[in-house]
């Protein structure tokens, strides 16, 4: 069966994984905008809120947004503070240099390209990142969990991503990700082929991907083999 679409995870896949101390990042963001006496409490509240919502996504497969983080923490998300947060993440959101030629090669073969990301960020933030790094126009569709009720590994999240790229048959789709549970287990349970890009930092899970690659540059031969 020919491959209709390849759908990618974002963080840790299209963008290489970075280990980040979230508490320190929140402190830096808050310090740029809040009274010094309020920084520590606000940063701790934001960190606690973010971690709770990530835990909800992990345990209940329910999505969340940045607005929920700020509401739960009781911190006002001003435009200036949000801009600082976006900029603080910039060094950690650079697209893998191997991604643009890979996406171009897939589309040249008539294979659609999609993204499915567990994220609290808005579509606008992701599209700014993809436009900055020259891949926005190489995507046929994208789904961000901040816009739907579910997170990976919920099968409806993968169904939404297939819909976004116009793919009907999960057996004709490939999902590429770095998380054995969210990405590989989730996609296989939804009927997609899977490719794991290993990342020792993420939680382990017994999964059996259809292929394992160390770098995105290794993906195309696997897709071509399945596509033939």
């Amino acid at each position: 069966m020919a491959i209709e679409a390849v759908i990618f995870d974002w963080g840790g896949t299209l963008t290489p994984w970075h280990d980040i101390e979230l508490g320190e990042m929140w402190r830096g963001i808050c310090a740029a905008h809040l009274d010094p006496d309020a920084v520590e409490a606000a940063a701790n509240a934001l960190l606690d809120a973010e971690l709770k919502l990530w835990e909800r996504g992990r345990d209940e497969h329910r999505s969340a947004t940045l607005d929920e983080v700020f509401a739960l923490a009781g911190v006002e998300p001003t435009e200036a503070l949000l801009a600082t947060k976006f900029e603080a993440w910039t060094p950690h959101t650079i697209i893998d240099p191997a991604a643009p030629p890979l996406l171009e090669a897939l589309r040249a073969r008539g294979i659609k390209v999609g993204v499915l990301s567990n994220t609290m960020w808005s579509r606008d933030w992701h599209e700014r990142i993809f436009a900055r790094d020259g891949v926005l126009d190489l995507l046929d569709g994208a789904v961000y969990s901040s816009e739907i009720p579910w997170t990976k590994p919920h099968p409806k999240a993968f169904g939404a991503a297939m819909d976004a790229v116009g793919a009907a048959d999960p057996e004709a789709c490939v999902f590429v990700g770095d998380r054995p549970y969210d990405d590989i287990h989730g996609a296989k349970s939804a009927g997609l082929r899977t490719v794991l890009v290993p990342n020792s930092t993420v939680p382990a899970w017994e999964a059996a991907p259809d292929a394992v690659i160390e770098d995105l540059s290794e993906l195309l031969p696997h897709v071509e083999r399945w596509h033939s």
Side-chain angles (χ1 to χ4, degrees), residues 32-100:
H33 299 280
L34 302 182
D35 184 282
D37 294 337
V39 168
E40 192 66 19
N44 287 337
L46 287 162
L47 175 62
D48 288 345
E50 184 173 9
L51 293 178
K52 285 178 182 176
L53 291 173
W54 280 123
E55 288 172 3
R56 187 182 77 183
R58 180 196 66 202
D59 298 339
E60 302 175 31
H61 309 158
R62 288 198 293 132
S63 61
T65 66
L66 267 183
D67 285 344
E68 287 184 79
V69 173
F70 284 102
L72 188 58
V75 176
E76 178 65 27
T78 65
E79 289 300 319
L81 190 149
L82 289 171
T84 297
K85 177 174 173 59
F86 184 86
E87 290 304 319
W89 274 91
T90 295
H92 311 295
T93 61
I94 305 300
I95 297 297
D96 189 321

Side-chain angles (χ1 to χ4, degrees), residues 175-177 179-180 183-185 188 192-198 205-213 226:
F175 192 83
V176 184
R179 290 180 173 262
D183 296 332
I184 305 307
H185 163 74
K188 286 186 73 70
L192 288 75
R193 294 180 187 264
T194 59
V195 178
L196 177 66
V197 187
W205 182 267
E206 288 295 326
D210 294 286
V212 178
I213 60 175
W226 297 326

Side-chain angles (χ1 to χ4, degrees), residues 126-180:
H126 287 282
E127 291 188 344
R128 285 166 62 188
I129 291 166
F130 291 148
R132 178 197 69 199
D133 293 347
V135 296
L136 181 60
D137 291 340
L138 300 176
L139 303 178
D140 295 292
V143 171
Y144 307 104
S145 64
S146 57
E147 297 182 330
I148 62 175
W150 322 281
T151 60
K152 297 175 290 182
H154 198 292
K156 288 186 177 181
F158 293 94
M162 289 176 54
D163 289 344
V165 297
D169 187 347
E171 292 184 2
C173 297
V174 178
F175 192 83
V176 184
D178 69 316
R179 290 180 173 262

Side-chain angles (χ1 to χ4, degrees), residues 12-37:
T13 304
L14 284 180
T15 292
W17 181 262
H18 288 194
D19 289 317
I20 296 165
E21 217 300 306
L22 287 175
E24 287 300 318
M25 183 170 281
W26 276 122
R27 275 187 281 277
I29 294 164
C30 291
H33 299 280
L34 302 182
D35 184 282
D37 294 337

